[in-house]
Amino acid sequence: MADRFLSRRVRRERVPVGCSTVQRVVGGVVTVIARVLPESRRRGLGAALYEHALGYARGQGDGLRFAARCGFAEVERYVLDGERDEWVDLRLAL
């Protein structure tokens, strides 16, 4: 599947103090990173960012089942020349 990427920022008094990143890499492995500025740590912000990002990452594996429940049918799976990621073509079954 193509890389999936999520980035989220957390603010305190309208000032960015942290962010999280989720990126799918080769082999179904997902990288989840949560960062909080030193002066804003130990307040639960990093844990909240991490839990949100982890939930997003876990949800990505259910994409095809979700699509099927919404009426989409798999038409084709393929890998582009020189790539390793698998792509899936879906069509809405009317």
Side-chain angles (χ1 to χ4, degrees):
M1 297 189 80
D3 284 349
R4 301 217 185 251
F5 181 81
L6 169 75
S7 182
R8 183 173 188 209
R9 285 176 274 166
V10 65
R11 297 173 187 264
R12 197 167 128 226
E13 296 176 15
R14 304 177 108 192
V15 177
V17 295
C19 65
S20 64
T21 303
V22 177
Q23 185 172 15
R24 182 177 298 199
V25 293
V26 176
V29 175
V30 176
T31 299
V32 175
I33 300 170
R35 302 170 202 84
V36 176
L37 293 175
E39 59 272 15
S40 295
R41 292 181 184 158
R42 315 273 314 146
R43 296 187 175 118
L45 298 173
L49 281 168
Y50 178 76
E51 288 300 321
H52 175 78
L54 194 57
Y56 175 83
R58 286 184 176 138
Q60 294 305 300
D62 295 327
L64 291 176
R65 283 182 281 191
F66 174 76
R69 284 194 312 270
C70 292
F72 286 84
E74 185 175 322
V75 176
E76 178 184 14
R77 287 179 183 245
Y78 58 94
V79 176
L80 297 173
D81 291 338
E83 299 289 327
R84 291 188 273 180
D85 295 329
E86 183 177 56
W87 292 80
V88 179
D89 275 349
L90 301 169
R91 297 286 187 266
L92 183 58
L94 298 175

